[in-house]
Amino acid sequence: QPLYLHAQRKGQRLPLRTHPSRKTLGLMSTPLSTLIVDDEPLALDLMERYVLRTPFLRLEAKCSGGAEALEALAGGGIDVAFLDIQMPGMNGLELSHLAGDRTRVIFTTAFQQYALEGFRADAIDYLLKPIDYNEFLRAAHKALKWFSLTREKTEPAPSAQAHTYLL
């Protein structure tokens, strides 16, 4: 059974699913592997709780800095990275450029002045702190949708496998 949260918009209560739709579930048999990077311990713990609460995400690593995150990304198995932007040493924007093509980035920051740069880095979303679970979930659903569409395109069409055409 999907769990529904409610978002407020113009006085309406809108359902927000924490579980993906059946169609998306059919395309995504395994959860998205997730990395969290933030130099603030409280923000790191909050994001960890959000990831663990979301059934279609699997926490692979949580890191407090860019160098540590690079090690986690080195294996190439991270689908989604939630990156803080302003961190000592390597910032989240720099890290996003080193993450590789497979990893999709969602920026989590208290500074809205980096939003344009964030989207130029092909981020799936840009979340401003403080981040509530509904905002987090919307961004996570965007990542899930991106991966389900990408994986759907890479699978050959059934009709192409089932028929042989003679000319």
Side-chain angles (χ1 to χ4, degrees):
Q1 284 280 1
L3 171 68
Y4 287 91
L5 299 174
H6 291 27
Q8 294 285 99
R9 185 189 314 159
K10 296 180 185 175
Q12 298 175 321
R13 289 188 71 173
L14 304 171
L16 182 63
R17 297 173 66 116
T18 61
H19 287 61
S21 68
R22 288 178 191 228
K23 179 182 178 193
T24 304
L25 269 177
L27 297 171
M28 299 293 302
S29 57
T30 58
L32 298 175
S33 59
T34 306
L35 168 68
I36 305 165
V37 185
D38 202 310
D39 63 320
E40 299 173 29
L42 292 175
L44 194 60
D45 290 343
L46 178 67
M47 295 302 288
E48 178 182 19
R49 286 195 307 272
Y50 287 172
V51 169
L52 294 175
R53 185 175 165 184
T54 308
F56 57 90
L57 298 178
R58 181 182 68 245
L59 183 61
E60 293 294 327
K62 65 178 192 171
C63 306
S64 59
E68 186 183 358
L70 276 178
E71 289 179 30
L73 288 165
I78 301 296
D79 294 318
V80 181
F82 288 88
L83 303 179
D84 184 20
I85 290 186
Q86 202 164 51
M87 299 183 290
M90 184 183 308
N91 70 38
L93 287 166
E94 295 166 333
L95 184 58
S96 73
H97 294 295
L98 300 172
D101 292 336
R102 173 196 168 136
T103 303
R104 300 287 88 201
V105 172
I106 297 171
F107 288 111
T108 61
T109 185
F111 303 97
Q112 82 187 95
Q113 69 259 29
Y114 298 113
L116 183 58
E117 286 180 75
F119 285 111
R120 284 183 179 154
D122 291 330
I124 285 185
D125 211 337
Y126 190 95
L127 302 176
L128 285 173
K129 294 176 182 175
I131 301 164
D132 68 29
Y133 185 64
N134 285 336
E135 292 172 302
F136 172 88
L137 195 56
R138 277 191 201 97
H141 271 280
K142 285 182 186 179
L144 182 67
K145 185 175 181 180
W146 188 92
F147 277 98
S148 66
L149 291 173
T150 303
R151 290 178 183 167
E152 184 178 65
K153 286 180 185 177
T154 60
E155 295 174 6
S159 61
Q161 295 176 353
H163 301 289
T164 303
Y165 295 96
L166 298 174
L167 299 176

